[in-house]
Amino acid sequence: MGVIGGGQLARMMVPAAVALGCRLKILSGEPDVSASGFAELVTGDWRDPCVTTRFAQGCDVITFEHELVPDDVYPALERSGVPTLPLPTTMRNASNKVTQRELARAAGLQVADHEVVSDAAELANAVDRFGLPLVAKRISGGYDGRGLTWLRSADDIDRMGASLAGDPVLIEPELSIDAELAVTVARRRNGEHLTYPVVRTFQEDGICRSVIAPARIHPHHARSLTAAAVTIADQLDHVGVITVEAFLVDDELYLNELAPRPHNSAHYTIDACTTSQFENHLRAVLDLPLGDASMVVPAAAMANVIAAGEQAVWPSDVELPPRTSIHLYAKRYRPGRKVGHVTVTGHDPTAIERIATAIADKLSSPGERSDDPVGSPKGASA
């Protein structure tokens, strides 16, 4: 199986692939990536249709670990004759924030009022219509706070207007959010699907900080979000896993965005569910029966390790409580970069989220440089 992208999502597919007897081949633009050393690595520009086509021809099936592939690559993949899943049309539609909102509305989710603007004059019209504060979102290609800009002052508007050069962005009012939620669906080619529990996510500056599974919300909201996610997956004819992120605002569910691939909010499934999102993604792409997605623990919390500096830190005095796992991505530290995650399972969601976040903070903090940036802290799992 070929995977376009060599980051931590590709890396976390590897154990699932081994369990399924599947060999992974990774296409990455750089040799020093998270998945290198764990799967066959092909270095090449995945933005180049010719490079991607040559890569595909050496694989039985192609899948993705990100949705950043340019639109002109997808037709080349289709012409290669190699099965590509999710389908190129699915990836294009699921990655476009305007199309996402059309899909969500058809599935019964609320969608914030929005406009697409391409220049300063159109931005000014949107400001007149909505007022401040606003959020500007890149139509495609944005993640982890990238491609996301808050517009809260006249200076923010001026800077955004000056940066627009015909490349459209989506403008919508900043919502007063009661909770941020996510749900992941795994779906096979024949439409068979299963769903993971709805989770609550906590964000800082557009980056996921932590996750609690399952979310402590009214069952009606969990059922509604899950049903909408299944409908969206069906509308897209999606194959693999797809995550729908939503906002809870005044007792209504609003779409945030879609991710047609394994997603950060479901990393907890490695340690807390019978079958992880990564294994079910591969099962769906390989057209194998899906694995049980139910949780095997009462609750789980995941916290991202977000580098605070440029030094890889494995503090030897980190004492891990039982039912704690650390997953490190073998990524060079730089401020704001996700370099790993911590999962803690137990009975009290609030308590385990606090523990997971505290451990992640210790691993994020500047300290002495490690000689083994691929290694793990003492007692990396318990």
Side-chain angles (χ1 to χ4, degrees), residues 219-241:
H220 166 73
H221 293 312
R223 289 192 298 267
S224 296
L225 181 55
T226 298
V230 170
T231 299
I232 289 170
D234 287 340
Q235 288 175 327
L236 288 165
D237 195 19
H238 184 80
V239 177
V241 295

Side-chain angles (χ1 to χ4, degrees), residues 348-367:
D348 184 335
T350 302
I352 59 176
E353 193 272 341
R354 186 166 58 247
I355 293 168
T357 300
I359 295 170
D361 285 345
K362 288 184 179 180
L363 294 171
S364 301
S365 302

Side-chain angles (χ1 to χ4, degrees), residues 65-66 74 90 193 242 319 331 367 378:
E65 73 119 32
H66 61 68
Y74 291 121
T90 298
H193 69 271
I242 182 170
E319 295 295 334
K331 294 168 70 173
K378 179 181 178 181

Side-chain angles (χ1 to χ4, degrees), residues 55-128:
F55 172 77
Q57 289 169 346
C59 304
D60 296 320
V61 62
I62 294 291
T63 192
F64 306 87
E65 73 119 32
H66 61 68
E67 62 270 45
L68 306 180
V69 174
D71 282 348
D72 61 346
V73 169
Y74 291 121
L77 285 171
E78 291 176 314
R79 290 192 298 270
S80 74
V82 178
T84 301
L85 298 168
L87 296 167
T89 52
T90 298
M91 293 297 293
R92 276 195 298 265
N93 290 329
S95 303
N96 183 294
K97 286 187 173 58
V98 176
T99 307
Q100 288 178 6
R101 279 147 182 76
E102 295 169 357
L103 293 165
R105 186 180 287 114
L109 290 180
Q110 298 291 329
V111 175
D113 287 340
H114 57 276
E115 286 191 9
V116 176
V117 305
S118 300
D119 57 37
E122 292 178 349
L123 175 61
N125 289 335
V127 174
D128 288 341

